[in-house]
Amino acid sequence: AIPSDMNSNGAKDKKIGSILSRSATYCEVCFWKCAAWVYSDEKGNIQKIIGNENDPHCYGRLCPRGTGGVGMYTDEDRLKTPLIRTKIDGKDSFREASWEEALDLVAKNMEKIKTEYGPESMALIKHGSPGSHLEHLFKAYGSDTVAEPAYAQCRGPRETGFGLTFGSWVGSPEPTDIRDTKCLVLIGSHIGENMHNSQVQEMSDAIDNGANIITVDPRCSTAASKSQHWLAIKPATDIALLLSWMHVLIYEDIYNKEYVEKYGSGFEALKKHVKPFSPEWAYGITTVKPKEIRKTARIMAAAAPSTIVHPGRHVTWYGDDSQRARAIAILNGLLGSWGNRGGFYFKEKISVPKFPHPPYPHPKWGWKELVEKYPFAEMGSTMEVIKASIPGADQKYPIKGWFVAGTNLVASVPKRKVIEEAIQSLDFMVVMDTMPMEITGYADVILPECTYLERYDGIRSATNREPSIALRSPAVPPKYNSKPAWWMAKEIGNRLDLAEYFNYNDYEEVIDWQLKEMGSSLEEMKKIGVKNFKRKSGALYMQKGKTHEFATPSGKIEFYSEELASHGLDPIPVYTSHDSPKQGFYRLNYGRSPMHTFSRTINNPNLSDLTSENMLWVNPKVARIEGLKNNQEVWLQNQDGVNSSFPIKVRVTERIRWDSVYMYHGFGHSNKKLTRAHGKGASDTELISRIAIDPLMGGTGMRGNFVKILLDNPIKETIL
Amino acid sequence: MKYAMVIDTLKCVGCSDCVVACQTENNVPIGYCRDWVTESVNGSYPHVELELKSERCNHCDNAPCVRCCPTGASHVAEGGIVLVTAGECIGCGACIESCPYDARFQHPDGYVDKCTFCAQRLKEGQLPACVSVCPTKCMYFGDLDDPTSKVSHLLQSRKHKVLAPEAGTKPNVYYLI
Amino acid sequence: MQEEIFISGRNIPKIDPYLEIWHFPISLYLFLGGMAAGIIFFASLFTVLRREKQVQTAIKPAMIIVLIALIIGLLALFYDLTHKLYVWRLYTTIRIESPMSWGAWVLLFITIGTFLWILSYFSELFPKWDLKFKWLKQIEQFLIKNRRNLALIMLPLSLILGIYTGILLSAFNARPLWNNAILGPLFLVSGLSTGAACIILFSKDHYERKLFSKIDLALIFIELALIVHMIMGMYAGSAVQLEALDILIGGEYTVMFFVFVIILGLIFPAILEGIELLGYKVPVAIPAILILIGGLIFRMVMIEAGQLTRYLY
Ligand SMILES: Nc1nc2c(c(=O)[nH]1)N[C@H]1C(S)=C(S)[C@@H](COP(=O)(O)OP(=O)(O)OC[C@H]3O[C@@H](n4cnc5c(=O)[nH]c(N)nc54)[C@H](O)[C@@H]3O)O[C@H]1N2
Ligand SMILES: Nc1nc2c(c(=O)[nH]1)N[C@H]1C(S)=C(S)[C@@H](COP(=O)(O)OP(=O)(O)OC[C@H]3O[C@@H](n4cnc5c(=O)[nH]c(N)nc54)[C@H](O)[C@@H]3O)O[C@H]1N2
Ligand code: SF4
Ligand code: SF4
Ligand code: SF4
Ligand code: SF4
Ligand code: SF4
Ligand SMILES: [Mo]
């Protein structure tokens, strides 16, 4: 039957603004945190989510995942009520529990670990918005044993590399002035598939402005296809290319001399260092033709300082990643792009005042001690937390309990066996999530959080051209028996005698207080969603006639790093070779599906409708050798004999090299409760059992794994 | 008034935001779509050309779907927009068979559905949902009868194509190449 | 290598990966419509020529078959509609450009005409039933007097109906297999042939059977010629048509098409009919039934295979 209010084509005439009510939020589908308006009808059904026009993260346009965020709310597979591990017929299972019971159990176990081992032995592994509420709880409780996969499995190395060179993190959102650039150089960074919103938008502006785009990627990424120059580099050889680019810039005398003289430190050492690294030398390693190397170096130089050699974001590739990031930073230094229009702007943010609470106790050890062997680690490493949870002779800082929130560890951290061993050794593990993801299956208690569309969270304040803040307020009440993280943190705090740290009834009060301190109010923010502030730290770019002090030991851009030298590490990046695939094996390459975020959206009804499974990209040559056809199901086995749990369909394509295979990260879910995602495609993480640790900051290099393509299910075979 | 959409393939990244945005704007049921994205790859590694395109009903000037409709449910509305009036559609499927682009489908409620150029939004002076959400701003929408419009300008200044011109449908969705 | 893929959005039921909008009911509808058109054509033609005496089956019992066929055909069509409640919308407008529209109208008139035709023969067809009401008898009398006039109207309508079953498909530019000018005449001839076969099947009169066997034989030859013409035409056509032809000539539907339609549905019955005309004893039901089955399969193949063919762009 047709409802009477249907117009042509039967579409319900959704009148924008008038009938639908809107409320402010910022997106939690990834960590770009775009501010948005959530539109819901009179019945409280969320209809759509639209970007906030005044937000510098999205300029009024969400990415597909943000637009499809509706599905995070409507997904009927969501965690609905607290669950507690129990044995049914001798088999581990979960039973439904009340919030009282579940939270009592969490508090009891945290109390127990605190008395038996000290609060430090309870670790928080988190990602995203629930993290900050729990971090507050943990600090109050006495633990600073905190880590997130967004550091050692993501952008840690580049922060270290850029920090050592410019004295500043890159940070998020990256302060890349893409919209005004004349030349954008992408080292693997696959913007356009990596849908970090304003970057994608600005790259499109750059195309409109006729900017030169140079992409270095062994795969024909979407960005590569938009580039004037795609350098189809041999995987794992980027440092050689970067060094030879430096060589060309310096020995053709086309680097930004004025800038380097003014701001550079250790240039002569660099010059000497890169002397042997000619394009001809690099050609033998990278397979990129010397002519191409020279040409692209000249293009960069001609556009300088409006050239961005992008730092990348997920940069934990081969273990020498901080050094690669440093090479990128040095290249930017030679071009003079840091602090110049069309390069890197000076970012600014406004700090959100902390709601008053008693001082935190001082833990005896924490994340810092766990990463003490990495001199330049600046955040906790999930990998080290995992290792420290396995009892053994070298267990200096024993971890006995995990609180996991907003991270599906088994899909985001490699070496599944080690993770499982660590979890087996724990006294207690609680997982707070919105979905029955794999990690929840290991928990003793599962706490269902409501989605970002149903809750308040901390005020978003991020660095940008101009400081801005954004509000997240609930568009609808929490579905099922789910609750926001702030409420759980407070309830657990109350049970741990930490009530004085949670001196409010509703998080709304905290936000309102903070906003008023900042010259706004909850009432105002509900109306505008985003508030932009004037800059206070000075100009966006370096000013003529003024000098700029870098926060490095020398106050300058460190082409040569004394700090690194003092730790016995290479003061200037060097190229080291990494393993290549052996006969019959292919390098496992992975990246982003533009329609998904890691493992978290695969079950989202709207987004799984776009892409429901990942495929194994193989070159036609490989297809011929292995006898593969499009859409054929295959299994994978890695160099350590680890098999993929599920088959993956073949996509024969010229977009990938013959020595590698490629797949989107995040698929291959094994939890049957994810009705749409279960068994769809293969998991890249599962096949990563060999990692290369970055000696500078402990990053988890994941790109040195090789797979064999199997036509039959290997698991069935072993049974026979 | 002659509405047209112009899509810049040099900027489209194939993210499919246009597809989700259409679904949430127009209540398109999950499993169905009024627009979709295609990828074509030519050449051989590393000399590869890639074209990404967002496709939908072309609101053809010479629309076979309108001609073949026995009830007049399929019709041409103001600005050349091809629409289906659900309450007049019998679900015979003739129009689906007639479209060279497979741009129409049977809504689970029985009637035939397709892209409307978001007529309900145009009425309120808003751009189609897909156009307004596209993160690369590679989609343009406007009036071809107005020589000063952005779409007219783009078609005058840039190389472009339409899909399956040999089908003779005279499409109004253009692709800049 | 060239690669064309959908990256999102195309997984729509009954549309992707290929169309399955029209099913067996539509094939049945086209078959029954064509056959009905054939019978009506012959019945009307002989009536107009005042040679009713020689074709007693065609003008009487066969017309009951026609009515049943039309009703089943319409029910099949109705069954395939997905928005059935609105079917009355067909009759609130006439859309000249839409074969479906004028097909609907022609079918309406033809069904009424057939009903009136049967009414005019009511007493002969059902001698045991007595028309109770006087006014009914009067109508019958009126119709009997106007039989020839009715035939004069039904003759062109039957041709339109017969051609319509082909044009309905051939008007679809988007389906290269259907999109050729031969399909209208081809379906018309095939309809006439199945109509003739149906009359043969039900006729007990030797003369009538022989007459229609001759007609049918001629029709089969024309039909074969048209099929050859169609295939040659597509060979000379564009890439899309070549691709479409592939499905019939060297693809999924080749066996169906050649074995069931061409050989068992046309050539073999033609031989049998020829043999019979030469005086040998052949059970007439066999070629007739083969032709009817062949006619139905022909439409099934065209409907199904046609929906596999699409524009390349
Ligand atoms: N193999 C491989 N591993 C990788 C990467 C890779 O490309 N390949 N990428 C790395 C990178 S760059 C990163 S940043 C990390 C990301 O790692 P993660 O952040 O762990 O990524 P997800 O797999 O999306 O896991 C997110 C979890 O949070 C849950 N969640 C989503 N929203 C909410 C919420 O509002 N509240 C709560 N409580 N939970 C929520 C989801 O259901 C899911 O279980 O992964 C890293 N690991
Ligand atoms: N749609 C979507 N967007 C996202 C995310 C998401 O989950 N979904 N996650 C966000 C997050 S947290 C992050 S960290 C970023 C990550 O996004 P990026 O920083 O862009 O990630 P990378 O891992 O650098 O990019 C993967 C690319 O590296 C190429 N590559 C592989 N090996 C090599 C090599 O040896 N050399 C070179 N030069 N290239 C190589 C691959 O072919 C692939 O194209 O994406 C963000 N954006
Ligand atoms: S980039 Fe996309 S998924 Fe990430 S926050 Fe913005 S809209 Fe959400
Ligand atoms: S939203 Fe824009 S960039 Fe993304 S697929 Fe659609 S047209 Fe292309
Ligand atoms: S694209 Fe198809 S549905 Fe749209 S107007 Fe043209 S023929 Fe009709
Ligand atoms: S399905 Fe509906 S819109 Fe299409 S031709 Fe039939 S009546 Fe017209
Ligand atoms: S114009 Fe509107 S209806 Fe058409 S595809 Fe775009 S969003 Fe969908
Ligand atoms: Mo990341």
Side-chain angles (χ1 to χ4, degrees):
Chain A
I2 300 182
S4 56
D5 61 343
M6 281 195 167
N7 69 348
S8 288
N9 264 36
K12 276 216 195 73
D13 198 353
K14 292 189 187 178
K15 293 212 186 63
I16 291 94
S18 50
I19 290 184
L20 299 179
S21 61
R22 67 176 203 183
S23 62
T25 193
Y26 58 88
C27 180
E28 179 82 14
V29 188
C30 87
F31 306 103
W32 207 250
K33 302 183 182 155
C34 302
W37 295 110
V38 186
Y39 289 86
S40 33
D41 64 18
E42 319 84 40
K43 288 185 215 121
N45 298 315
I46 295 179
Q47 297 285 0
K48 58 182 178 182
I49 310 173
I50 306 290
N52 187 317
E53 295 274 343
N54 296 319
D55 183 35
H57 295 233
C58 78
Y59 309 115
R61 292 160 184 260
L62 298 183
C63 86
R65 302 162 295 151
T67 307
V70 188
M72 306 310 257
Y73 168 72
T74 54
D75 196 330
E76 64 294 344
D77 294 337
R78 274 172 61 173
L79 290 173
K80 300 184 174 74
T81 196
L83 298 169
I84 293 178
R85 177 177 297 276
T86 181
K87 285 232 191 293
I88 295 177
D89 302 332
K91 264 173 81 188
D92 267 8
S93 182
F94 289 96
R95 67 175 169 83
E96 297 190 352
S98 69
W99 277 106
E100 279 299 309
E101 192 189 2
L103 295 171
D104 283 349
L105 190 59
V106 173
K108 196 185 94 195
N109 277 286
M110 284 178 72
E111 197 62 65
K112 194 164 160 246
I113 287 174
K114 186 174 183 170
T115 44
E116 281 178 29
Y117 310 97
E120 299 83 356
S121 288
M122 183 77 200
L124 171 62
I125 311 178
K126 48 93 183 183
H127 200 187
S129 297
S132 57
H133 304 293
L134 295 168
E135 219 166 342
H136 175 61
L137 170 70
F138 266 64
K139 283 189 175 146
Y141 160 79
S143 170
D144 197 17
T145 311
V146 183
E148 61 181 74
Y151 184 72
Q153 285 76 40
C154 176
R155 58 200 176 86
R158 79 161 194 210
E159 309 301 6
T160 297
F162 273 64
L164 284 166
T165 314
F166 293 113
S168 166
W169 275 31
V170 179
S172 175
E174 288 81 4
T176 42
D177 202 9
I178 300 179
R179 71 176 181 209
D180 286 324
T181 197
K182 293 194 192 123
C183 178
L184 175 64
V185 186
L186 300 171
I187 315 289
S189 179
H190 57 336
I191 299 177
E193 288 157 290
N194 153 3
M195 285 304 291
H196 272 167
N197 197 337
S198 40
Q199 271 195 66
V200 177
Q201 296 193 30
E202 292 197 17
M203 185 167 91
S204 190
D205 295 340
I207 293 174
D208 266 346
N209 297 339
N212 256 297
I213 303 179
I214 299 166
T215 300
V216 182
D217 198 311
R219 177 184 67 102
C220 178
S221 64
T222 300
S225 78
K226 312 268 175 222
S227 307
Q228 285 82 349
H229 298 276
W230 167 36
L231 308 186
I233 195 169
K234 183 177 170 199
T237 64
D238 297 77
I239 295 181
L241 174 69
L242 293 163
L243 289 169
S244 79
W245 267 340
M246 293 175 206
H247 174 99
V248 177
L249 290 181
I250 294 173
Y251 288 93
E252 290 196 5
D253 222 18
I254 50 175
Y255 66 97
N256 193 333
K257 267 199 230 72
E258 199 188 324
Y259 184 92
V260 168
E261 262 160 40
K262 201 165 167 191
Y263 297 116
S265 146
F267 175 74
E268 285 309 318
L270 175 69
K271 184 170 177 178
K272 211 173 121 218
H273 176 77
V274 301
K275 184 142 201 258
F277 305 137
S278 64
E280 285 69 22
W281 165 82
Y283 174 54
I285 295 165
T286 61
T287 73
V288 181
K289 295 211 171 71
K291 206 175 70 191
E292 278 287 290
I293 298 178
R294 288 208 168 82
K295 190 155 85 190
T296 45
R298 288 171 197 153
I299 292 170
M300 287 184 237
S306 295
T307 300
I308 301 166
V309 188
H310 198 285
R313 187 162 175 129
H314 170 64
V315 288
T316 46
W317 298 356
Y318 304 106
D320 52 4
D321 306 304
S322 296
Q323 291 288 11
R324 188 182 62 252
R326 232 178 86 68
I328 292 173
I330 291 172
L331 202 57
N332 279 304
L334 289 174
L335 294 161
S337 52
W338 191 270
N340 273 311
R341 188 184 158 88
F344 294 76
Y345 58 77
F346 293 128
K347 61 196 178 179
E348 190 179 323
K349 76 177 215 177
I350 184 165
S351 61
V352 180
K354 195 99 172 84
F355 191 73
H357 62 76
Y360 293 132
H362 291 287
K364 288 199 241 357
W365 55 272
W367 67 264
K368 276 203 187 94
E369 282 66 24
L370 292 176
V371 294
E372 62 195 0
K373 46 186 176 295
Y374 309 112
F376 300 101
E378 293 176 278
M379 276 175 76
S381 159
T382 41
M383 206 48 159
E384 298 308 317
V385 170
I386 292 164
K387 285 192 214 152
S389 308
I390 300 173
D394 56 344
Q395 197 189 25
K396 208 161 138 198
Y397 305 107
I399 291 177
K400 296 293 175 185
W402 287 5
F403 199 128
V404 181
T407 167
N408 188 16
L409 277 187
V410 282
S412 41
V413 179
K415 289 184 100 61
R416 172 94 34 105
K417 266 202 180 133
V418 176
I419 299 178
E420 285 180 342
E421 193 187 341
I423 294 175
Q424 292 307 323
S425 320
L426 294 175
D427 289 359
F428 180 68
M429 175 171 162
V430 47
V431 174
M432 180 195 294
D433 208 302
T434 52
M435 295 292 300
M437 294 287 186
E438 287 68 25
I439 189 66
T440 60
Y442 297 90
D444 296 308
V445 180
I446 304 173
L447 303 175
E449 189 174 21
C450 54
T451 66
Y452 68 106
L453 299 165
E454 305 159 285
R455 66 184 195 227
Y456 280 108
D457 261 318
I459 295 162
R460 180 204 81 188
S461 169
T463 56
N464 247 298
R465 292 184 175 92
E466 269 92 39
S468 76
I469 55 167
L471 173 73
R472 176 180 289 162
S473 60
V476 287
K479 236 188 184 179
Y480 312 117
N481 192 16
S482 63
K483 296 277 187 190
W486 68 260
W487 180 85
M488 290 183 246
K490 180 176 154 62
E491 287 292 319
I492 297 169
N494 289 347
R495 286 166 171 77
L496 292 170
D497 286 331
L498 302 168
E500 50 185 352
Y501 289 88
F502 299 90
N503 195 12
Y504 43 82
N505 293 315
D506 199 309
Y507 203 66
E508 219 175 4
E509 296 164 34
V510 178
I511 296 174
D512 195 33
W513 180 86
Q514 290 172 319
L515 287 170
K516 284 188 175 132
E517 291 285 300
M518 297 164 86
S520 178
S521 67
L522 188 56
E523 199 192 342
E524 184 195 32
M525 287 303 286
K526 279 186 170 172
K527 277 190 215 120
I528 58 177
V530 169
K531 194 173 173 92
N532 294 305
F533 296 83
K534 287 260 161 321
R535 282 178 73 91
K536 286 201 182 127
S537 64
L540 194 55
Y541 312 114
M542 288 178 172
Q543 297 300 98
K544 272 229 157 63
K546 288 191 187 153
T547 53
H548 177 83
E549 173 117 11
F550 288 84
T552 52
S554 62
K556 298 198 168 201
I557 299 170
E558 307 220 318
F559 295 128
Y560 179 96
S561 169
E562 296 287 356
E563 274 183 282
L564 283 172
S566 72
H567 282 93
L569 295 158
D570 295 321
I572 305 177
V574 295
Y575 165 76
T576 40
S577 83
H578 300 285
D579 280 358
S580 291
K582 301 213 163 46
Q583 182 76 32
F585 280 88
Y586 302 94
R587 184 183 295 276
L588 176 64
N589 187 2
Y590 58 83
R592 304 283 173 254
S593 155
M595 296 80 139
H596 285 284
T597 303
F598 315 119
S599 71
R600 70 178 56 198
T601 57
I602 313 298
N603 204 63
N604 174 315
N606 298 77
L607 300 177
S608 82
D609 194 28
L610 300 176
T611 304
S612 59
E613 60 192 315
N614 61 354
M615 296 188 94
L616 186 75
W617 295 25
V618 302
N619 186 278
K621 288 199 183 91
V622 175
R624 212 174 313 125
I625 295 168
E626 304 281 340
L628 304 174
K629 282 198 291 290
N630 264 322
N631 293 315
Q632 177 180 351
E633 286 193 336
V634 295
W635 282 258
L636 299 172
Q637 185 175 66
N638 81 355
Q639 71 284 335
D640 299 328
V642 178
N643 296 316
S644 61
S645 301
F646 303 105
I648 180 170
K649 287 186 190 143
V650 166
R651 171 183 176 190
V652 181
T653 180
E654 296 282 2
R655 291 182 66 183
I656 180 81
R657 285 168 68 91
W658 47 86
D659 61 358
S660 323
V661 291
Y662 180 79
M663 66 170 83
Y664 291 147
H665 165 63
F667 290 81
H669 276 282
S670 57
N671 196 330
K672 290 210 175 77
K673 293 187 185 115
L674 301 164
T675 53
R676 272 172 296 273
H678 175 256
K680 293 281 175 60
S683 159
D684 57 335
T685 316
E686 185 177 40
L687 294 162
I688 302 175
S689 54
R690 181 201 288 173
I691 57 171
I693 304 267
D694 191 313
L696 276 67
M697 46 60 69
T700 312
M702 302 196 256
R703 291 236 160 103
N705 287 263
F706 307 104
V707 294
K708 207 156 64 179
I709 301 170
L710 308 176
L711 304 185
D712 297 301
N713 187 349
I715 298 167
K716 227 187 321 191
E717 262 180 357
T718 50
I719 291 168
L720 283 175
Chain B
M1 182 90 91
K2 185 172 178 226
Y3 288 120
M5 198 178 270
V6 175
I7 301 175
D8 190 346
T9 61
L10 301 186
K11 292 199 288 177
C12 172
V13 292
C15 68
S16 307
D17 204 1
C18 43
V19 182
V20 218
C22 180
Q23 286 180 328
T24 60
E25 174 67 36
N26 296 308
N27 281 356
V28 181
I30 301 254
Y32 295 78
C33 64
R34 291 181 178 186
D35 54 348
W36 61 94
V37 181
T38 62
E39 172 179 329
S40 63
V41 186
N42 270 299
S44 65
Y45 187 95
H47 306 286
V48 184
E49 262 177 47
L50 178 63
E51 186 181 82
L52 296 156
K53 270 195 267 80
S54 170
E55 300 180 13
R56 61 191 43 59
C57 166
N58 288 286
H59 298 272
C60 308
D61 280 350
N62 182 21
C65 54
V66 172
R67 265 184 280 124
C68 73
C69 177
T71 65
S74 281
H75 64 283
V76 182
E78 208 209 316
I81 305 181
V82 174
L83 294 178
V84 180
T85 309
E88 288 176 21
C89 172
I90 61 173
C92 66
C95 55
I96 297 178
E97 300 284 1
S98 82
C99 174
Y101 309 96
D102 290 343
R104 295 172 164 242
F105 60 89
Q106 279 165 343
H107 191 281
D109 288 345
Y111 56 87
V112 161
D113 196 19
K114 64 180 266 301
C115 163
T116 57
F117 268 172
C118 286
Q120 81 280 13
R121 287 173 63 96
L122 300 181
K123 258 187 256 161
E124 306 204 350
Q126 288 176 315
L127 287 170
C130 52
V131 175
S132 75
V133 80
C134 170
T136 65
K137 291 162 274 181
C138 74
M139 308 168 100
Y140 304 86
F141 187 83
D143 180 6
L144 277 188
D145 281 346
D146 172 4
T148 64
S149 67
K150 179 85 183 170
V151 284
S152 299
H153 177 75
L154 283 167
L155 293 187
Q156 277 152 23
S157 59
R158 295 264 311 262
K159 227 172 111 182
H160 58 265
K161 66 175 180 187
V162 293
L163 300 181
E166 65 281 12
T169 52
K170 302 214 172 102
N172 281 309
V173 177
Y174 297 84
Y175 294 90
L176 302 176
I177 45 178
Chain C
M1 192 184 105
Q2 198 183 354
E3 194 190 357
E4 298 274 347
I5 55 170
F6 288 119
I7 34 185
S8 68
R10 298 280 349 192
N11 215 352
I12 306 177
K14 295 198 281 179
I15 311 279
D16 300 310
Y18 47 81
L19 289 188
E20 287 173 278
I21 289 292
W22 283 350
H23 313 89
F24 177 72
I26 297 288
S27 319
L28 184 67
Y29 161 74
L30 293 183
F31 166 74
L32 293 173
M35 188 187 82
I39 297 173
I40 297 169
F41 174 79
F42 293 122
S44 309
L45 183 69
F46 285 101
T47 306
V48 170
L49 295 176
R50 301 187 200 281
R51 310 245 316 256
E52 295 101 318
K53 290 268 145 23
Q54 296 160 8
V55 291
Q56 282 297 309
T57 318
I59 57 167
K60 283 185 280 181
M63 286 302 277
I64 294 177
I65 307 260
V66 165
L67 191 63
I68 295 169
L70 288 175
I71 289 169
I72 295 176
L74 281 169
L75 285 176
L77 176 66
F78 181 72
Y79 173 82
D80 227 36
L81 298 182
T82 54
H83 218 210
K84 296 188 174 50
L85 282 179
Y86 297 82
V87 64
W88 53 275
R89 282 285 182 182
L90 276 174
Y91 296 106
T92 55
T93 173
I94 300 181
R95 301 187 53 83
I96 300 302
E97 285 185 308
S98 164
M100 193 77 121
S101 175
W102 50 262
W105 284 103
V106 167
L107 266 169
L108 179 72
F109 290 130
I110 269 208
T111 311
I112 295 169
T114 307
F115 182 74
L116 295 178
W117 184 294
I118 291 169
L119 208 57
S120 83
Y121 282 107
F122 195 86
S123 305
E124 288 180 44
L125 279 165
F126 309 103
K128 280 182 207 140
W129 291 11
D130 196 17
L131 284 175
K132 289 251 158 48
F133 302 102
K134 199 169 152 225
W135 58 272
L136 270 177
K137 286 211 176 88
Q138 278 168 349
I139 291 178
E140 193 189 11
Q141 284 311 311
F142 173 79
L143 288 172
I144 290 171
K145 259 186 244 142
N146 284 291
R147 265 185 198 148
R148 192 152 177 276
N149 289 337
L150 185 58
L152 275 170
I153 298 170
M154 293 290 270
L155 191 62
L157 283 180
S158 71
L159 284 174
I160 297 175
L161 178 62
I163 293 181
Y164 153 74
T165 61
I167 288 196
L168 178 65
L169 299 186
S170 71
F172 291 126
N173 188 10
R175 310 294 146 209
L177 184 65
W178 298 346
N179 184 220
N180 64 74
I182 312 291
L183 212 61
L186 178 56
F187 271 36
L188 172 67
V189 175
S190 166
L192 291 175
S193 157
T194 49
C198 186
I199 295 169
I200 296 171
L201 195 60
F202 285 92
S203 174
K204 294 191 184 69
D205 176 56
H206 180 70
Y207 173 81
E208 192 181 15
R209 285 209 310 240
K210 201 160 171 185
L211 173 68
F212 279 102
S213 283
K214 274 190 216 153
I215 293 172
D216 203 24
L217 200 55
L219 289 169
I220 288 176
F221 278 118
I222 299 171
E223 201 177 332
L224 282 167
L226 286 173
I227 287 175
V228 171
H229 190 163
M230 177 177 87
I231 290 174
M232 297 313 281
M234 287 173 91
Y235 257 127
S238 61
V240 278
Q241 284 195 311
L242 281 175
E243 180 132 311
L245 188 62
D246 235 30
I247 294 179
L248 282 193
I249 301 294
E252 260 178 82
Y253 286 89
T254 309
V255 175
M256 277 274 252
F257 183 64
F258 278 98
V259 176
F260 290 98
V261 179
I262 307 259
I263 298 176
L264 288 178
L266 292 171
I267 296 176
F268 188 55
I271 293 171
L272 289 183
E273 276 174 355
I275 291 174
E276 203 203 358
L277 286 176
L278 288 177
Y280 297 94
K281 193 103 190 89
V282 179
V284 284
I286 294 177
I289 287 172
L290 282 175
I291 287 170
L292 289 173
I293 294 175
L296 180 59
I297 293 180
F298 182 34
R299 280 152 187 87
M300 280 165 60
V301 168
M302 289 307 283
I303 290 285
E304 310 256 317
Q307 293 183 99
L308 291 181
T309 64
R310 60 180 313 237
Y311 249 83
L312 311 168
Y313 66 88

